[in-house]
Amino acid sequence: MQALSKNFFLFLSNNSALDRMAKKWGPKFGANQIVGGETFEEAVPLIQQLNNQGLQLTVDHLGEFVTSEAEAVKRTQECIDAIKTIHSHQLNSQVSLKLTSLGLDIRKDLVWDNMEKIMEEAARLDVTVTIDMEDSTRTQQTLDIYKGLKNKYPNLGTVIQSYLYRSTDDLEDLSPYDPYLRLVKGAYKEPGTVAFTEKAQVDENLKKLIKQNLLNGHYTAVASHDDAIIDFTKLFARNNNIPKDQFEFQMLYGMRNQTQLDLIQEGYKVRVYLPYGTDWYGYFMRRLAERPANVAFAIKGIFKK
């Protein structure tokens, strides 16, 4: 049943007609419960509010798979503007981005030039940037770009997905770069030739990756809403004398709010992933696909007054 549910929402995430409807009627379908606003400036008061609660942020301008060079340049400037806004408002926030929004599927030199422009500004203003991971066909390109930039820009992170068979090897390959990594389960529809298909396998591999990266001495962002993963991380860190400043928990805006605050009270660092923009539909469907419990949240959000 869970596999059917995941496949159903992943199918819906690629439905262009529903995507257009969502952009038009977003607020009526609970978009304001999961998205910080249509622009980054709209999200600033919310970020300040979350910062005041002790939460740190990472923001992401929604949208991917850009096919126009002009659009890729526009998305690049949006990232730069977000970095400047974080600095000017003194927000405790990082920036996440997708390479397909910067021209990965157009030309390698285009996405490279756009990333360097972003990282130059991020380095100047001391803002951390994380390259999000997309589907498995783009994993190697993403990691190659990350490694090519990391030595020049230490404030650069990326993502490893536990549902991919290759992730253990990728983690070891990245170790010499002293990586800042966000470890996630993964939210794209992947064939069994490259990815685990059973939730239990994905969960166990995520635990393995958490142990591996922490024992390698690298900063680790554990991005999960699952209590079992959170409790595993806390226990493993205690048993292995890993300090709380070597890792953080990451959760999505609007989900498990009380858990986020409880973790802060326990002395853990918590970062909230806050997307903004109008292109929220595909993002939301993938969140429903990766965790069926999110469906109840969605229904509540839609009908909330």
Side-chain angles (χ1 to χ4, degrees):
M1 180 61 70
Q2 186 171 20
L4 288 174
S5 173
K6 179 174 182 177
N7 289 335
F8 173 69
F9 286 114
L10 289 176
F11 169 77
L12 290 181
S13 72
N14 293 315
N15 188 298
S16 57
L18 290 175
D19 183 37
R20 289 192 298 271
M21 186 183 301
K23 287 179 180 177
K24 182 178 181 180
W25 300 103
K28 292 183 180 296
F29 285 91
N32 59 341
Q33 303 296 317
I34 60 167
V35 177
E38 292 191 356
T39 68
F40 188 53
E41 284 291 347
E42 288 181 12
V44 167
L46 176 59
I47 294 171
Q48 292 171 328
Q49 176 186 334
L50 294 171
N51 282 166
N52 289 337
Q53 293 176 352
L55 295 162
Q56 303 182 40
L57 276 288
T58 187
V59 296
D60 182 10
H61 185 217
L62 291 169
E64 51 198 300
F65 309 127
V66 165
T67 58
S68 158
E69 184 170 335
E71 183 65 20
V73 171
K74 181 180 178 181
R75 292 300 180 89
T76 299
Q77 188 58 51
E78 164 62 33
C79 287
I80 292 171
D81 291 343
I83 289 167
K84 290 179 177 178
T85 301
I86 287 170
H87 177 75
S88 65
H89 287 274
Q90 296 184 316
L91 304 175
N92 191 337
S93 179
Q94 301 177 356
V95 170
S96 289
L97 55 82
K98 290 180 172 60
L99 293 182
T100 55
S101 72
L102 306 180
L104 182 66
D105 294 346
I106 302 174
R107 293 195 327 273
K108 184 177 180 179
D109 63 322
L110 174 64
V111 69
W112 184 270
D113 289 346
N114 287 337
M115 273 301 300
E116 285 220 303
K117 290 175 184 175
I118 291 168
M119 292 311 303
E120 282 295 320
E121 196 65 19
R124 185 177 74 85
L125 299 178
D126 193 27
V127 175
T128 296
V129 174
T130 297
I131 301 174
D132 285 341
M133 194 58 69
E134 302 181 65
D135 63 87
S136 63
T137 64
R138 298 173 174 90
T139 300
Q140 191 59 53
Q141 296 177 80
T142 300
L143 293 179
D144 288 345
I145 291 172
Y146 173 74
K147 289 188 288 186
L149 292 168
K150 181 62 169 66
N151 287 333
K152 184 177 180 180
Y153 303 106
N155 58 322
L156 181 64
T158 192
V159 177
I160 295 292
Q161 300 164 312
S162 72
Y163 67 176
L164 296 181
Y165 300 143
R166 60 176 290 168
S167 292
T168 299
D169 292 336
D170 286 337
L171 212 60
E172 282 306 311
D173 183 55
L174 291 173
S175 189
Y177 294 85
D178 189 21
Y180 163 45
L181 296 177
R182 178 193 302 153
L183 304 181
V184 304
K185 294 181 182 180
Y188 291 85
K189 184 174 176 57
E190 302 286 1
T193 53
V194 300
F196 297 108
T197 57
E198 299 296 325
K199 180 182 183 299
Q201 295 173 308
V202 177
D203 289 354
E204 284 306 307
N205 202 40
L206 180 55
K207 292 177 182 179
K208 180 180 178 180
L209 295 174
I210 292 168
K211 289 168 56 177
Q212 184 179 348
N213 207 50
L214 287 174
L215 291 177
N216 282 345
H218 304 312
Y219 192 83
T220 304
V222 179
S224 176
H225 297 122
D226 288 359
D227 288 327
I229 298 296
I230 294 168
D231 291 341
F232 166 83
T233 304
K234 291 159 65 174
L235 181 61
F236 182 80
R238 283 198 301 270
N239 290 344
N240 290 274
N241 298 315
I242 293 170
K244 289 181 178 179
D245 61 5
Q246 192 186 321
F247 65 97
E248 67 184 47
F249 294 105
Q250 293 191 2
M251 298 185 188
L252 303 175
Y253 169 63
M255 298 186 185
R256 308 233 42 198
N257 298 342
Q258 189 57 52
T259 299
Q260 296 171 15
L261 298 178
D262 290 345
L263 286 168
I264 289 175
Q265 289 299 314
E266 294 174 32
Y268 294 101
K269 184 190 295 186
V270 179
R271 187 173 305 279
V272 175
Y273 183 92
L274 179 69
Y276 65 97
T278 59
D279 196 9
W280 62 274
Y281 171 75
Y283 160 81
F284 192 31
M285 289 300 107
R286 288 196 295 274
R287 299 294 78 76
L288 297 183
E290 66 186 356
R291 189 170 187 266
N294 290 344
V295 176
F297 158 81
I299 294 172
K300 180 180 179 182
I302 289 170
F303 293 104
K304 185 176 180 180
K305 300 296 185 183

